[in-house]
């Protein structure tokens, strides 16, 4: 269930990371038939809250508001990685929330607050790459994953810096309310609805969008439109007017992965969307997504998503009508 969302502000909160949570969960999109969340901005200590950048935010909500939240989000703050202590009543409220079945989500350095509450102990988690070493030293029982953009260890979700918070929030919407809702919100935000996935338990590692790729963006667009085709690096390099070696290097620099892995991730994503939104057979989906046959789809789907296509469909199928 995802209906009631609270975002907690400590002094020094970063406005962008705070705004990410507001944009995904705090905007009324009911005219599009999308869910409307009961959304509240909560001051962890006093109000107005001092915001990094030289302004303040005033809010009537205090920590007692967290008792009714399905999701509590902690955005980044300029002081959080070095801060030695955090409000004890906030840490207690976070622990109580998880114990009663709510989720908590951190953006960037907000993970330090979750760690102080003991919610990262024994769990995989992440934060901005600048802070992963500090997070590991501060919370040695946490399993830090420095190379991912977010980690879903339900009910604790942690994300890396800045825009990774968008991906984590949309991932949660997609998980709870389906790809149609997440995609509609993403369209309003003009961001990709979902990025490359690569780990079990529906943990996704996003990659840059085409607009962020200066030299290979057009090729990425072509690849997305032809996922069912077998292509080689040589063919892609020719389309980009580069040598294969130069193309492979540029692709890695701009997307953070190889052409093969990027293509495989997009094919898995398409297969997920078809499993969620169509009645196509697994064989038909394998052909449309470029896997050729159901056995190959099952192999790669299991490695990337951590389950079988049929099990995934049973969990995430969007009901007709």
């Amino acid at each position: 269930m995802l209906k009631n969302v609270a975002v907690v502000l400590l002094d020094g909160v970063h406005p962008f990371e705070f705004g990410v949570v507001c944009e995904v969960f705090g905007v009324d999109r009911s005219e599009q038939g999308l869910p409307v969340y009961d959304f509240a901005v909560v001051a962890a200590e006093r109000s107005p809250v001092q915001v990094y950048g030289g302004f303040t935010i005033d809010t009537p909500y205090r920590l007692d508001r967290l008792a009714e939240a399905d999701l509590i989000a902690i955005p980044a703050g300029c002081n959080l990685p070095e801060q030695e202590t955090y409000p004890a009543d906030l840490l207690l409220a976070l622990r109580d929330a998880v114990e009663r079945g709510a989720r908590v989500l951190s953006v960037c350095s907000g993970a330090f607050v979750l760690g102080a509450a003991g919610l990262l102990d024994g769990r995989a988690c992440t934060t901005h790459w600048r802070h992963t070493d500090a997070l590991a030293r501060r919370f040695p029982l946490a399993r830090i994953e420095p190379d991912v953009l977010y980690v879903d260890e339900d009910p604790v979700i942690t994300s890396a810096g800045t825009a990774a918070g968008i991906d984590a929030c949309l991932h949660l919407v997609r998980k709870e309310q389906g790809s149609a809702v997440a995609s509609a919100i993403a369209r309003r935000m003009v961001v990709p609805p979902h990025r490359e996935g690569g780990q079990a338990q529906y943990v996704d590692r996003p990659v840059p969008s085409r607009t962020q790729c200066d030299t290979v963006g057009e090729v990425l667009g072509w690849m997305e439109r032809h996922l069912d085709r077998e292509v080689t690096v040589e063919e892609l390099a020719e389309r980009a007017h580069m040598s294969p070696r130069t193309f492979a290097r540029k692709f890695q620099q701009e997307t953070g992965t190889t052409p093969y892995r990027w293509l495989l991730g997009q094919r898995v994503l398409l297969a997920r969307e078809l499993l969620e939104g169509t009645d196509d057979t697994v064989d038909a989906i394998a052909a449309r997504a470029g896997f050729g046959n159901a056995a190959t789809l099952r192999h790669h789907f299991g490695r990337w998503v951590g389950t079988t296509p049929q099990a995934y469909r049973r969990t995430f199928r969007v009901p007709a009508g």
Side-chain angles (χ1 to χ4, degrees):
M1 181 175 64
L2 183 58
K3 295 182 178 179
N4 192 307
V5 180
V7 55
V8 179
L9 304 188
L10 291 129
D11 279 342
V13 62
H14 284 182
F16 184 96
E17 285 81 351
F18 164 59
V20 162
V21 182
C22 293
E23 181 67 24
V24 175
F25 299 109
V27 176
D28 185 341
R29 301 182 176 93
S30 55
E31 80 282 359
Q32 293 180 257
L34 295 175
V36 177
Y37 304 100
D38 187 352
F39 182 78
V41 176
V42 173
E45 296 175 283
R46 61 186 180 276
S47 185
V49 179
Q50 299 295 318
V51 179
Y52 180 74
F55 60 98
T56 61
I57 293 176
D58 196 11
T59 174
Y61 296 106
R62 300 297 183 268
L63 292 177
D64 58 334
R65 174 64 174 74
L66 303 185
E68 60 191 86
D70 305 317
L71 171 67
I72 301 171
I74 310 289
C78 61
N79 304 317
L80 296 185
E82 296 81 24
Q83 195 167 328
E84 294 184 3
T85 60
Y86 308 95
D89 47 355
L90 169 59
L91 303 183
L92 177 60
L94 293 172
R95 289 191 292 270
D96 287 346
V98 169
E99 186 173 343
R100 65 177 168 78
R103 289 186 173 95
V104 293
L105 181 151
S106 66
V107 183
C108 192
S109 59
F112 285 82
V113 181
L114 300 186
L119 298 177
L120 301 185
D121 292 353
R123 288 188 169 100
C125 58
T126 195
T127 187
H128 192 287
W129 59 267
R130 292 180 60 196
H131 304 312
T132 51
D133 289 345
L135 191 69
R137 288 192 301 269
R138 185 92 171 265
F139 308 109
L141 297 182
R143 303 197 315 273
I144 313 300
E145 297 192 7
D147 296 326
V148 301
L149 294 194
Y150 62 92
V151 176
D152 182 353
E153 281 257 329
D154 214 0
V156 178
I157 302 169
T158 53
S159 64
T162 312
I166 299 174
D167 299 297
C169 291
L170 289 176
H171 162 76
L172 180 55
V173 171
R174 188 174 192 273
K175 181 176 180 177
E176 281 293 300
Q177 295 163 322
S179 60
V181 173
S183 295
I185 294 174
R187 280 195 298 273
R188 279 281 296 267
M189 295 175 64
V190 197
V191 297
H194 188 70
R195 313 286 187 101
E196 174 188 332
Q199 303 180 39
Q201 298 190 8
Y202 312 110
V203 178
D204 297 77
R205 179 179 180 175
V207 297
S209 66
R210 294 195 303 273
T211 58
Q212 296 172 290
C213 299
D214 295 335
T215 57
V216 302
E218 291 187 10
V219 177
L220 290 181
W222 184 89
M223 292 167 72
E224 287 178 341
R225 295 191 299 272
H226 299 87
L227 293 177
D228 58 338
R229 287 186 51 170
E230 287 298 325
V231 295
T232 65
V233 171
E234 288 74 18
E235 180 182 354
L236 297 174
E238 184 177 352
R239 287 186 171 275
H241 308 291
M242 302 178 194
S243 70
R245 177 176 294 183
T246 299
F247 174 78
R249 185 180 72 252
K250 288 287 187 181
F251 198 98
Q252 179 77 39
Q253 289 173 347
E254 296 187 11
T255 69
T257 190
T258 65
Y260 172 75
R261 187 165 179 78
W262 188 93
L263 186 61
L264 190 58
Q266 295 302 308
R267 285 172 171 168
V268 170
L269 171 57
L270 177 56
R272 289 168 70 162
E273 292 174 348
L274 294 172
L275 288 165
E276 292 176 17
T278 76
D279 293 318
D280 291 355
T281 66
V282 173
D283 282 301
I285 290 172
R288 289 181 62 181
F291 289 105
N293 57 68
T296 303
L297 169 59
R298 283 192 290 268
H299 170 74
H300 289 295
F301 201 89
R303 293 188 64 180
W304 282 64
V305 186
T307 189
T308 65
Q310 291 289 17
Y312 182 87
R313 171 173 267 170
R314 286 194 296 271
T315 301
F316 289 103
R317 178 73 170 91
V318 179

